Amino acid sequence: MLAFKGFTQKLISFQRRTVVPLMATPLTNSTVAAFSTGSPNGTAPIKRVGTHNGSFHCDEALGCFMIRLTDKFFGAEIVRTRDPKVLETLDAVLDVGGVYDPSRDRYDHHQKGFNEVFGHGFTTKLSSAGLVYKHYGTEIIAKELKLEQEHPDVHRLFLAVYRSFMEAIDAIDNGVNQYDTDLPPRYVNNTNLSSRVGKFNLDWMDPDQSSDKENEAFQRAMSLAGSEFLEVVRFYARSWLPARTIVMECLAARNTVDASGEIMTLNKFCPWKLHLFELEEEMKIDPPIKYVLYEDDRSKNWRVQAVAVSPDKFESRKPLPAQWRGLRDEELSKESGIPGCVFVHMSGFIGGNATYEGALAMARAGLKL
């Protein structure tokens, strides 16, 4: 089974390889010698995966990276061309050719009538990266988790990685606005992965516009996009999944914290916000959680945090009382009538107390005030 140990070293090696010209092909075609960790069976001939030459985007760079993590295309050679005759001879083709046919591993999204989406409630049209992920993502994630593809955790990560990482790449490549408004953005954001990959394209002022130079740039683009993809997958495998389990257990125990069922205590701090919203829906929690209590690892004080109305909003479902906001220490304890108070933020989204009992009293009072 494919493992990803030592991947950073392999990526560095990948970046330093030279471009290998495709023999007996026109100058407009070229191959990219991308990183290779060996074939799973050691004897199968190396397959060839095609994408277009010329300027590149994040979707084909990431798509080429991902498809080479699969058993079928492990360590495949990347061929960059727009020649239909050459493309027809290749084992897979991404982002060029005008065909979407997974039975033949053709993953273009530019042709008229293409409207493929990821499914599972997502409606963003897919790019070539999204198409590769849709058909091979569970295999890649299963290998990272060392689980069978049918395992529920593989499916959870498959959806989570699409939501948090892949969908934005699909949307940007297809020109989908993030917000339903005609108003201009308040600031320019060129720090997303798609923008950073695009900056690897050759500068028009560079005197060397050769295919070799272009392919070296594409190698770097694949390395950047692929390394960030794997970082996301590993974060969800090593951090997100264990946190989900903790939040689920604490949510199930909410009624032992307070009879209202609106206060949850984390028995171990973890990233909880997104899990809470998803699990409330899955577990049909009603009424929803208003406050979450957890111990601050550094100060060892307890925090009482108001839950936001949604994951992407700053507004709280029930902020801590207005008369407490901005107060600290003895002044706050006097105003609230609760000993051990440390602070309440000016917006009322979070407060602190020296003890768990004090934090719980603040949350209970917050429900009533």
Side-chain angles (χ1 to χ4, degrees), residues 14-262:
F14 151 58
Q15 291 177 0
R16 293 175 178 169
R17 290 178 184 242
T18 58
V19 175
V20 181
L22 181 60
M23 298 177 62
T25 58
L27 291 176
T28 55
N29 305 328
S30 53
T31 59
V32 176
F35 80 92
S36 177
T37 52
S39 174
N41 56 29
T43 59
I46 293 179
K47 292 184 180 287
R48 299 196 302 164
V49 173
T51 190
H52 60 81
N53 55 355
S55 296
F56 50 80
H57 299 101
C58 185
D59 70 315
E60 70 264 24
L62 178 58
C64 287
F65 184 97
M66 289 191 297
I67 204 168
R68 298 180 75 254
L69 297 176
T70 67
D71 287 344
K72 186 175 182 180
F73 294 102
F74 196 82
E77 178 182 58
I78 303 299
V79 180
R80 303 185 69 233
T81 182
R82 293 184 184 274
D83 188 332
K85 294 181 180 178
V86 176
L87 293 173
E88 188 62 31
T89 68
L90 304 179
D91 299 290
V93 177
L94 281 62
D95 209 48
V96 68
V99 176
Y100 168 52
D101 183 358
S103 68
R104 297 193 296 126
D105 286 301
R106 264 49 185 170
Y107 302 109
D108 197 9
H109 66 111
H110 297 99
Q111 59 275 22
K112 183 178 180 180
F114 177 88
N115 289 298
E116 189 74 10
V117 298
F118 186 66
H120 308 287
F122 296 95
T123 59
T124 300
K125 188 165 75 170
L126 297 179
S127 67
S128 60
L131 288 171
V132 171
Y133 186 78
K134 179 173 183 173
H135 293 283
Y136 289 105
T138 53
E139 178 189 342
I140 295 168
I141 289 171
K143 289 173 180 177
E144 180 66 21
L145 293 179
K146 297 178 174 59
L147 296 171
E148 297 298 323
Q149 291 189 43
E150 296 75 20
H151 194 284
D153 284 348
V154 172
H155 182 69
R156 290 189 182 104
L157 257 69
F158 180 57
L159 299 183
V161 170
Y162 185 79
R163 179 187 299 108
S164 68
F165 183 79
M166 295 297 307
E167 187 177 21
I169 294 168
D170 288 337
I172 290 170
D173 196 77
N174 283 302
V176 179
N177 289 326
Q178 190 172 8
Y179 301 102
D180 293 327
T181 177
D182 293 329
L183 295 175
R186 293 187 177 182
Y187 56 87
V188 174
N189 180 10
N190 289 322
T191 62
N192 60 64
L193 179 59
S194 295
S195 295
R196 286 182 284 123
V197 166
K199 291 174 183 176
F200 282 116
N201 280 289
L202 301 186
D203 192 303
W204 70 278
M205 292 291 289
D206 192 332
D208 185 357
Q209 298 284 322
S210 66
S211 295
D212 283 356
K213 188 72 176 290
E214 183 183 285
N215 289 335
E216 289 172 1
F218 188 72
Q219 286 182 332
R220 293 193 293 273
M222 284 179 59
S223 176
L224 174 64
S227 62
E228 292 203 13
F229 167 73
L230 288 177
E231 285 176 4
V232 169
V233 171
R234 289 169 180 159
F235 164 77
Y236 276 91
R238 299 172 185 174
S239 177
W240 185 87
L241 266 181
R244 187 181 191 277
T245 300
I246 291 171
V247 175
M248 181 183 292
E249 292 172 350
C250 295
L251 192 54
R254 67 194 183 283
N255 288 311
T256 65
V257 176
D258 186 74
S260 69
E262 298 179 74

Side-chain angles (χ1 to χ4, degrees), residues 248 251-252 254-255 261 275-289 317:
M248 181 183 292
L251 192 54
R254 67 194 183 283
N255 288 311
H275 291 299
L276 179 62
F277 291 102
E278 293 176 351
L279 288 169
E280 280 182 331
E281 185 174 346
E282 288 180 26
M283 299 168 66
K284 299 182 175 10
I285 303 297
D286 188 30
I289 299 296
R317 290 173 174 172

